Amino acid sequence: MTIATHSLPRAARRRTAEPLRPPWAADDFLQKCAHCGDCVRACPEGVLEKDKRGRPFLNLEAGTCTFCQACVRVCSTGALFSDAEQEPRVIS
């Protein structure tokens, strides 16, 4: 039996998942991020966008992240970081 979406309570239809943060996001990314947009502008693939609050997120519907680290290179707050031994990770 299929349930029509409009028959579900509004709370059940609401998207509750947090957006994906950029690769190499620090554990305290949301506290460190200055919402400057440098990482969004630096992304050559155009997959980093700003949410309604101005925080960067990874939009994989817009394309594929190549893990080029352009976002890491322009981040002056330490919200995005990488070192030679660290694998890229995406957190929500």
Side-chain angles (χ1 to χ4, degrees):
M1 176 180 188
T2 304
I3 299 174
T5 303
H6 65 274
S7 69
L8 294 175
R10 183 172 296 209
R13 286 184 277 155
R14 187 175 46 215
R15 187 174 175 210
T16 58
E18 286 292 318
L20 295 175
R21 296 300 165 204
W24 295 285
D27 290 334
D28 53 354
F29 173 78
L30 293 176
Q31 288 75 36
K32 287 184 175 181
C33 179
H35 310 162
C36 65
D38 288 347
C39 60
V40 173
R41 287 187 293 279
C43 180
E45 305 303 329
V47 295
L48 291 183
E49 298 177 5
K50 284 188 171 189
D51 65 15
K52 292 178 182 178
R53 295 181 183 171
R55 302 175 303 186
F57 74 96
L58 182 61
N59 180 3
L60 294 177
E61 292 179 5
T64 304
C65 179
T66 60
F67 303 106
C68 67
Q69 296 191 27
C71 57
V72 175
R73 288 191 295 275
V74 299
C75 183
S76 62
T77 65
L80 302 174
F81 72 96
S82 91
D83 60 39
E85 297 177 14
Q86 181 182 355
E87 291 292 322
R89 63 187 186 144
V90 178
I91 61 172
S92 58

